[in-house]
Each structure stands twice: as structure tokens, then as C-alpha cells.
Amino acid sequence: MPEKSVTSKHVAEKAGVSRSAVSRVFTPGASVSPTTAAKVRAAARALGYRPNVLARSLITGRSRIIGLVVAYLENQFYPEAIEKLSKNLQSKGYHVLVFMASNDTEATQTVIDELLDYQVDGIIIASVGLSNDLTRRCEDAGIPIVLFNRDQFDDRLSSVTSDNMAGGRKLAAFLLAGDHKRIGHIAGWEGASTQIDREAGFKAGLMEADMRIVARGVGNFSFEGAQAATREMFDRDDPPDAVFVANDHMAFAVMDVLRFELGFSIPTDVSVVGYDDVQIAAWASYDLTTVRQRANVMVEQATDLLLARIEDIDTPPRRLCIDGPLIIRGSARIPTGTEYARI
């Protein structure tokens, strides 16, 4: 039978089930017994049948497509998080379209325009800011948005972040317990809520011991930016004896410059701590002390928030902060006689 002429009716007849059973098998999330599903899929394969997803979306008003917008794929945290988000959404019957954006408002607007053209059911935005105008346009179109690893003071938006303030405090307490006296900070992009909150928490932790950051650079969450900031920060007679780097991706650049260009020993001469706990942080070549972003939990929460609003757009937006543990490795002096211990 030619493929174009195969319908759900033919599949139902071959499988010996009703047409509604065929429909349920190919409807994500629908209830159907494993035996019926196996018979229907076997019949569909034999006949060359594929359901018309586009036609179904016109009937249901749902595309079952989620737009995922991300800015920093070079940061190892995001490929991992995107993979987890994609698998999680696919397990719930959704398809994912990934779009690259930037922190440039005009570029982000172009991406949102494309997402609206695709008639996505919802949008997850990772480390990209939204203007009030773009938020309003999505709201007017009835498309819910969840910010992932970024927060924004807008009551219309849900967000899921690490508890960046608490993480910054943990790193400050750790370095202070290690008896560091000259502590520096290499910041990420200064417009990011993650950067703002991590630094604010870190400063607050230092202030509790009447300490201040003695040197500050800006790496803009880029490897090259962190390299340049490190060269400038340590080209002085009294360089820091410890540095908090706003994420692991930049911390790796800092460590490379300190060891291989400037001749510092880590952690003998200078301690380095980061934030994220990406897989590379555990490699012996870096062995980085850092705060872990619990990506699995963040992904589950972001997915649940988005799907709840897709099902009922009147569901109130929520802001969630996920606490993350301090992961102690060998890149920083480990305090003795305290609760701190290497993992």
C-alpha cells in the first residue's frame, strides 16, 4: 500500500484495535496498555504509517514544541543542562528547538520572533535577559516562559536558579577559614543575576570577618576574558593569595595562566575556587574547589514549572532557588581542624 494512502484506520484494522487506540498510542502522555502499544507500533511499521504531527497540532492547538534559548555553550555547564532539559522534555512528549542568542536585546528579539513563528508551547531561556517588551509579547501570545540559571525582577516570569547568594557566602567562609588575607574576585558578565548574586553573597561573607575584596577583574564568563583578567590582577607586587572566579569555565583559564604563564603554585601560592562543578572540575589537572549547581534538580523544577503553566496559563509564576553544596578539592588551601574536608 503506498505510504501516502496509509491512515490510522488501516493501522487499526491490521492491529485489530480501535482507531482511538491508535490515536492514543501516538499521543504523548495518553494512557494505553503496553500490549496494545506494541501491536499498533508493529502494524504502523509494517504499513509505513507515520502520524501527521502538524495536522494534530492544528486540531489540538498544541505544537508540543518547547523553545530553548541559550547564550553560553562554551561554558560546560550549559551543554550538560541542555541535554538534561531535552531528555526530560522528550520523556514528557515534547520536542525541543534550541536557539542561540546573546545578551544583545536586538539579537534576542530576533530569536523570540522565530520562536513565536514556530508556535511553540513554551520557552525556557538560559542565561539570557528579556526586555519588558519581549516578555509582554510572549504573555500576549499565551506562551509561558521559564528562566533557567538566570533571574529577573518581573512578576510575570518563573525562574529556577542556584542559590547564588548562599553559594557565594560558602566560598567566602571557606577561604576565610583557610586563613587567606588577600582575596580577589574575577567576575562574569556584570549584567547577569548569577554574577550579581554570587558576588553579593561572597562580599557579605567576607564582611562578616571585616574583610574586603582586594582586587577585582571582569572575565565576562569567557575563557579569554578570564585569562586577561588574571594577567592584570597578578601583575603586581602584592597579588591575591586566593581568588574566587564566578564560574568554573573561567576558573580553568585562571588556573592555566597562574601555573603555566606566571609560575604560581596552586594552592601553595594562591588558592582558586569556582562555581558550577562541571565535570572537568573533578579532573586531576584542575581538581577545582567549587559550589555545585544541582543541574538535575534545576532541570526537573524548570520543566515542572513550564508544563504547569502550559496546562493552565493562569498558574502563578514562581521563583525557585536551589541550594548547592560546597565541593572541596585540591585547588584551594583546605582549613584544618574545622568541618571542612576534601571530598
Side-chain angles (χ1 to χ4, degrees):
M1 185 179 296
E3 184 177 337
K4 288 185 179 180
S5 65
V6 177
T7 68
S8 61
K9 178 182 177 182
H10 298 122
V11 176
E13 290 172 350
K14 186 171 183 62
V17 300
S18 66
R19 292 183 66 178
S20 63
V22 174
S23 177
R24 288 196 302 275
V25 168
F26 292 104
T27 298
S31 176
V32 63
S33 73
T35 301
T36 299
K39 289 196 297 184
V40 168
R41 292 192 182 279
R45 284 194 297 270
L47 296 172
Y49 170 78
R50 297 295 300 168
N52 190 328
V53 176
L54 293 177
R56 181 182 296 142
S57 69
L58 292 175
I59 296 170
T60 64
R62 296 278 183 84
S63 65
R64 302 200 72 83
I65 296 173
I66 303 298
L68 179 55
V69 184
V70 65
Y72 301 115
L73 276 182
E74 65 272 20
N75 176 358
Q76 297 87 356
F77 175 74
Y78 286 106
E80 179 184 348
I82 288 172
E83 179 183 2
K84 292 179 186 299
L85 279 166
S86 297
K87 287 182 177 178
N88 194 295
L89 287 164
Q90 287 169 5
S91 72
K92 300 179 188 301
Y94 285 84
H95 306 283
V96 178
L97 286 178
V98 178
F99 286 77
M100 295 301 301
S102 68
N103 288 302
D104 175 76
T105 301
E106 185 174 341
T108 304
Q109 179 166 324
T110 299
V111 168
I112 297 299
D113 284 339
E114 292 183 19
L115 286 171
L116 293 176
D117 288 343
Y118 275 100
Q119 298 184 344
V120 295
D121 288 344
I123 301 173
I124 295 177
I125 296 184
S127 280
V128 180
L130 273 186
S131 69
N132 287 334
D133 177 61
L134 289 176
T135 302
R136 178 188 54 76
R137 288 178 55 203
C138 292
E139 185 179 41
D140 290 345
I143 299 175
I145 297 172
V146 172
L147 301 180
F148 183 84
N149 202 35
R150 172 71 61 86
D151 199 3
Q152 200 164 306
F153 294 108
D154 190 324
D155 291 337
R156 297 168 294 181
L157 299 174
S158 292
S159 63
V160 178
T161 67
S162 168
D163 192 339
N164 293 296
M165 288 277 290
R169 281 182 176 272
K170 290 176 185 179
L171 290 167
F174 174 78
L175 293 178
L176 290 170
D179 201 31
H180 292 285
K181 303 299 184 184
R182 299 185 53 77
I183 300 175
H185 175 51
I186 293 181
W189 179 58
E190 295 186 281
S193 65
T194 48
Q195 163 58 37
I196 294 168
D197 290 347
R198 289 173 191 178
E199 184 172 6
F202 188 69
K203 285 181 174 179
L206 293 181
M207 287 180 66
E208 291 177 1
D210 200 26
M211 295 274 285
R212 302 288 187 277
I213 290 172
V214 301
R216 185 180 189 275
V218 179
N220 283 314
F221 290 134
S222 79
F223 198 88
E224 295 77 11
Q227 288 177 317
T230 306
R231 295 182 188 111
E232 182 177 354
M233 180 176 292
F234 286 85
D235 183 20
R236 52 196 295 174
D237 294 333
D238 55 350
D241 62 4
V243 58
F244 162 41
V245 191
N247 72 2
D248 291 355
H249 177 64
M250 292 195 301
F252 303 144
V254 171
M255 294 177 73
D256 286 349
V257 169
L258 287 174
R259 291 183 298 186
F260 304 126
E261 290 186 27
L262 304 181
F264 285 85
S265 174
I266 298 172
T268 303
D269 299 324
V270 57
S271 291
V272 180
V273 296
Y275 205 112
D276 282 344
D277 194 31
V278 300
Q279 289 185 357
I280 297 174
W283 290 8
S285 53
Y286 292 110
D287 200 28
L288 179 65
T289 293
T290 184
V291 170
R292 175 174 293 163
Q293 292 216 82
R294 296 166 63 197
N296 285 334
V297 178
M298 293 171 67
V299 163
E300 287 287 347
Q301 295 287 353
T303 302
D304 289 347
L305 285 177
L306 186 66
L307 297 187
R309 296 209 73 208
I310 288 173
E311 292 302 320
D312 182 2
I313 196 63
D314 293 325
T315 301
R318 297 175 62 196
R319 288 194 180 95
L320 302 179
C321 282
I322 310 300
D323 188 39
L326 176 66
I327 306 299
I328 299 174
R329 298 192 179 98
S331 68
R333 186 188 307 162
I334 300 175
T336 58
T338 72
E339 73 273 22
Y340 297 110
R342 182 188 171 98
I343 63 168

